[in-house]
Structures are given as structure tokens and as C-alpha cells.
Amino acid sequence: CDIVDIYTDYGPFFPYNQYVALYKIMAEYSFLWKFFYEFGSTPIGLWLNEVGLELACFEPFQKCLTRNPLSIYENDKRADMVV
């Protein structure tokens, strides 16, 4: 069973491929977590997220989700769980 962090492994560039590090910073500074959480739930925050993911991440994520599950190559792991 392989677990793939789709953002870290397939995010094409910052901030998508650095979410773990960014979450650690926001966990230290709760005001940052609160700001990004509240901004992300606004109509413009939701729109920016949708546009950013569609423009930057659609193809890399599609590559992850459609790869050969029988491949034996380490860098081509099957995604049993995507987080």
C-alpha cells in the first residue's frame, strides 16, 4: 500500500509543493492559520484556489491518478491513497 502526498510529489512549484512546510509555520503562528483559513473560505479565496489548481495542477495531478498501477518503478508508485 502506497500513500501519495499529491501536492508534495506532484505540485509543480511553490506553494503547491511546499504545503507541509507552510502548515508547520502556520501551526506555530496561529494568526497565520486563522488568516489563511478565513481568506480561503471567502468567494475570492475559493475562486483563486480553483483557478490556481486548474491552471497549475490539473495535468500533474492527472498524471498521478492515471499512471500504471502495476509499474515496478519507485518513482511511479501506485496511488492507493491520495492526500
Side-chain angles (χ1 to χ4, degrees), residues 26-52:
M26 288 190 292
E28 262 186 66
Y29 302 99
S30 59
F31 69 94
L32 289 175
W33 187 274
K34 181 176 175 19
F35 172 78
F36 283 105
Y37 176 80
E38 290 182 1
F39 176 74
S41 65
T42 65
I44 193 163
L46 293 169
W47 179 82
L48 285 171
N49 185 54
E50 183 177 340
V51 168

Short mmCIF file of all heavy atoms in Angstrom, two decimals, residues 26-52:
data_model
loop_
_atom_site.label_atom_id
_atom_site.label_comp_id
_atom_site.label_asym_id
_atom_site.label_seq_id
_atom_site.Cartn_x
_atom_site.Cartn_y
_atom_site.Cartn_z
N MET A 26 2.40 27.78 9.83
CA MET A 26 1.09 28.28 10.28
C MET A 26 0.68 27.67 11.62
O MET A 26 0.00 28.31 12.40
CB MET A 26 0.04 28.01 9.21
CG MET A 26 0.20 28.92 8.01
SD MET A 26 -1.16 28.85 6.85
CE MET A 26 -0.99 27.21 6.20
N ALA A 27 1.11 26.44 11.88
CA ALA A 27 0.80 25.82 13.18
C ALA A 27 1.52 26.54 14.31
O ALA A 27 1.01 26.63 15.42
CB ALA A 27 1.19 24.35 13.16
N GLU A 28 2.71 27.07 14.02
CA GLU A 28 3.45 27.84 15.03
C GLU A 28 2.83 29.20 15.28
O GLU A 28 2.88 29.72 16.39
CB GLU A 28 4.90 28.04 14.56
CG GLU A 28 5.86 27.05 15.16
CD GLU A 28 7.28 27.39 14.78
OE1 GLU A 28 7.78 28.45 15.21
OE2 GLU A 28 7.87 26.58 14.05
N TYR A 29 2.30 29.81 14.24
CA TYR A 29 1.74 31.16 14.32
C TYR A 29 0.26 31.09 13.97
O TYR A 29 -0.13 31.20 12.82
CB TYR A 29 2.49 32.10 13.37
CG TYR A 29 3.96 32.15 13.65
CD1 TYR A 29 4.87 31.41 12.90
CD2 TYR A 29 4.46 32.93 14.70
CE1 TYR A 29 6.22 31.44 13.16
CE2 TYR A 29 5.81 32.97 14.98
CZ TYR A 29 6.69 32.22 14.20
OH TYR A 29 8.03 32.25 14.48
N SER A 30 -0.54 30.92 15.00
CA SER A 30 -1.97 30.67 14.79
C SER A 30 -2.68 31.80 14.05
O SER A 30 -3.67 31.55 13.36
CB SER A 30 -2.66 30.39 16.12
OG SER A 30 -2.51 31.48 16.99
N PHE A 31 -2.17 33.03 14.15
CA PHE A 31 -2.82 34.12 13.43
C PHE A 31 -2.71 33.91 11.91
O PHE A 31 -3.61 34.28 11.15
CB PHE A 31 -2.26 35.49 13.83
CG PHE A 31 -0.85 35.75 13.38
CD1 PHE A 31 -0.60 36.40 12.18
CD2 PHE A 31 0.23 35.34 14.16
CE1 PHE A 31 0.70 36.65 11.77
CE2 PHE A 31 1.53 35.58 13.75
CZ PHE A 31 1.77 36.23 12.54
N LEU A 32 -1.61 33.29 11.45
CA LEU A 32 -1.47 32.98 10.03
C LEU A 32 -2.47 31.91 9.61
O LEU A 32 -3.10 32.00 8.55
CB LEU A 32 -0.05 32.50 9.70
CG LEU A 32 1.05 33.53 9.75
CD1 LEU A 32 2.41 32.88 9.55
CD2 LEU A 32 0.82 34.60 8.71
N TRP A 33 -2.61 30.89 10.45
CA TRP A 33 -3.57 29.82 10.16
C TRP A 33 -4.97 30.42 10.05
O TRP A 33 -5.70 30.13 9.11
CB TRP A 33 -3.52 28.77 11.26
CG TRP A 33 -4.35 27.57 10.92
CD1 TRP A 33 -5.68 27.41 11.14
CD2 TRP A 33 -3.90 26.40 10.25
NE1 TRP A 33 -6.09 26.19 10.67
CE2 TRP A 33 -5.01 25.56 10.11
CE3 TRP A 33 -2.67 25.98 9.76
CZ2 TRP A 33 -4.94 24.31 9.51
CZ3 TRP A 33 -2.60 24.75 9.17
CH2 TRP A 33 -3.72 23.93 9.04
N LYS A 34 -5.33 31.24 11.01
CA LYS A 34 -6.66 31.87 11.03
C LYS A 34 -6.86 32.73 9.78
O LYS A 34 -7.91 32.64 9.13
CB LYS A 34 -6.82 32.72 12.29
CG LYS A 34 -8.16 33.40 12.44
CD LYS A 34 -8.22 34.10 13.78
CE LYS A 34 -9.41 34.92 14.08
NZ LYS A 34 -10.60 34.78 13.40
N PHE A 35 -5.87 33.53 9.41
CA PHE A 35 -5.98 34.39 8.24
C PHE A 35 -6.20 33.57 6.97
O PHE A 35 -7.13 33.82 6.20
CB PHE A 35 -4.74 35.27 8.08
CG PHE A 35 -4.73 36.02 6.78
CD1 PHE A 35 -5.49 37.16 6.62
CD2 PHE A 35 -3.98 35.56 5.71
CE1 PHE A 35 -5.50 37.85 5.41
CE2 PHE A 35 -3.97 36.24 4.50
CZ PHE A 35 -4.75 37.38 4.35
N PHE A 36 -5.34 32.57 6.73
CA PHE A 36 -5.46 31.77 5.51
C PHE A 36 -6.73 30.92 5.49
O PHE A 36 -7.34 30.74 4.44
CB PHE A 36 -4.21 30.92 5.28
CG PHE A 36 -3.06 31.72 4.75
CD1 PHE A 36 -2.01 32.06 5.58
CD2 PHE A 36 -3.04 32.15 3.44
CE1 PHE A 36 -0.95 32.81 5.09
CE2 PHE A 36 -1.99 32.90 2.94
CZ PHE A 36 -0.94 33.23 3.78
N TYR A 37 -7.13 30.44 6.65
CA TYR A 37 -8.37 29.66 6.72
C TYR A 37 -9.56 30.54 6.37
O TYR A 37 -10.41 30.16 5.57
CB TYR A 37 -8.53 29.07 8.13
CG TYR A 37 -9.83 28.33 8.30
CD1 TYR A 37 -9.96 27.03 7.83
CD2 TYR A 37 -10.92 28.92 8.91
CE1 TYR A 37 -11.16 26.33 7.97
CE2 TYR A 37 -12.12 28.25 9.05
CZ TYR A 37 -12.23 26.96 8.59
OH TYR A 37 -13.41 26.29 8.72
N GLU A 38 -9.63 31.71 6.99
CA GLU A 38 -10.77 32.58 6.75
C GLU A 38 -10.75 33.15 5.34
O GLU A 38 -11.79 33.24 4.69
CB GLU A 38 -10.82 33.69 7.80
CG GLU A 38 -11.21 33.13 9.16
CD GLU A 38 -11.33 34.18 10.24
OE1 GLU A 38 -11.14 35.38 9.96
OE2 GLU A 38 -11.61 33.78 11.39
N PHE A 39 -9.58 33.53 4.84
CA PHE A 39 -9.49 34.04 3.47
C PHE A 39 -9.87 32.94 2.46
O PHE A 39 -10.56 33.19 1.48
CB PHE A 39 -8.09 34.56 3.15
CG PHE A 39 -7.96 35.01 1.72
CD1 PHE A 39 -8.53 36.19 1.30
CD2 PHE A 39 -7.28 34.22 0.80
CE1 PHE A 39 -8.43 36.59 -0.03
CE2 PHE A 39 -7.17 34.61 -0.52
CZ PHE A 39 -7.75 35.80 -0.94
N GLY A 40 -9.42 31.72 2.72
CA GLY A 40 -9.71 30.61 1.82
C GLY A 40 -11.17 30.24 1.74
O GLY A 40 -11.61 29.60 0.78
N SER A 41 -11.96 30.66 2.72
CA SER A 41 -13.38 30.34 2.71
C SER A 41 -14.23 31.46 2.11
O SER A 41 -15.45 31.31 1.99
CB SER A 41 -13.87 30.01 4.12
OG SER A 41 -13.77 31.15 4.95
N THR A 42 -13.61 32.55 1.70
CA THR A 42 -14.34 33.64 1.05
C THR A 42 -14.54 33.30 -0.43
O THR A 42 -13.82 32.46 -0.98
CB THR A 42 -13.58 34.98 1.15
OG1 THR A 42 -12.36 34.87 0.40
CG2 THR A 42 -13.30 35.35 2.59
N PRO A 43 -15.50 33.94 -1.07
CA PRO A 43 -15.69 33.67 -2.50
C PRO A 43 -14.43 33.90 -3.34
O PRO A 43 -14.11 33.09 -4.21
CB PRO A 43 -16.81 34.63 -2.90
CG PRO A 43 -17.61 34.82 -1.64
CD PRO A 43 -16.57 34.80 -0.54
N ILE A 44 -13.69 34.96 -3.07
CA ILE A 44 -12.47 35.21 -3.85
C ILE A 44 -11.38 34.19 -3.52
O ILE A 44 -10.65 33.74 -4.40
CB ILE A 44 -11.96 36.66 -3.71
CG1 ILE A 44 -10.91 36.93 -4.78
CG2 ILE A 44 -11.38 36.91 -2.34
CD1 ILE A 44 -10.62 38.37 -5.03
N GLY A 45 -11.28 33.79 -2.26
CA GLY A 45 -10.30 32.77 -1.88
C GLY A 45 -10.61 31.43 -2.53
O GLY A 45 -9.70 30.74 -3.02
N LEU A 46 -11.88 31.04 -2.55
CA LEU A 46 -12.28 29.80 -3.21
C LEU A 46 -12.02 29.87 -4.71
O LEU A 46 -11.55 28.92 -5.32
CB LEU A 46 -13.76 29.51 -2.93
CG LEU A 46 -14.10 29.18 -1.48
CD1 LEU A 46 -15.60 29.18 -1.26
CD2 LEU A 46 -13.50 27.84 -1.09
N TRP A 47 -12.31 31.04 -5.31
CA TRP A 47 -12.07 31.22 -6.74
C TRP A 47 -10.59 31.14 -7.06
O TRP A 47 -10.19 30.46 -8.02
CB TRP A 47 -12.65 32.55 -7.20
CG TRP A 47 -12.42 32.82 -8.66
CD1 TRP A 47 -13.16 32.35 -9.70
CD2 TRP A 47 -11.37 33.59 -9.22
NE1 TRP A 47 -12.63 32.79 -10.88
CE2 TRP A 47 -11.53 33.56 -10.62
CE3 TRP A 47 -10.31 34.32 -8.68
CZ2 TRP A 47 -10.67 34.22 -11.48
CZ3 TRP A 47 -9.45 34.98 -9.54
CH2 TRP A 47 -9.64 34.92 -10.93
N LEU A 48 -9.75 31.81 -6.27
CA LEU A 48 -8.30 31.77 -6.50
C LEU A 48 -7.77 30.34 -6.38
O LEU A 48 -6.92 29.91 -7.18
CB LEU A 48 -7.56 32.67 -5.51
CG LEU A 48 -7.65 34.17 -5.78
CD1 LEU A 48 -7.06 34.95 -4.61
CD2 LEU A 48 -6.93 34.51 -7.07
N ASN A 49 -8.25 29.61 -5.41
CA ASN A 49 -7.83 28.22 -5.24
C ASN A 49 -8.24 27.38 -6.45
O ASN A 49 -7.43 26.61 -6.99
CB ASN A 49 -8.44 27.64 -3.97
CG ASN A 49 -7.94 26.25 -3.68
OD1 ASN A 49 -6.75 26.01 -3.62
ND2 ASN A 49 -8.87 25.32 -3.52
N GLU A 50 -9.46 27.54 -6.90
CA GLU A 50 -9.94 26.77 -8.04
C GLU A 50 -9.16 27.10 -9.31
O GLU A 50 -8.73 26.20 -10.04
CB GLU A 50 -11.43 27.05 -8.26
CG GLU A 50 -12.03 26.23 -9.37
CD GLU A 50 -13.53 26.46 -9.51
OE1 GLU A 50 -14.17 26.95 -8.57
OE2 GLU A 50 -14.04 26.15 -10.59
N VAL A 51 -8.93 28.37 -9.57
CA VAL A 51 -8.19 28.78 -10.76
C VAL A 51 -6.74 28.31 -10.69
O VAL A 51 -6.21 27.77 -11.66
CB VAL A 51 -8.27 30.31 -10.95
CG1 VAL A 51 -7.28 30.79 -12.01
CG2 VAL A 51 -9.68 30.73 -11.31
N GLY A 52 -6.11 28.48 -9.54
CA GLY A 52 -4.73 28.04 -9.38
C GLY A 52 -4.56 26.55 -9.58
O GLY A 52 -3.64 26.10 -10.27
#
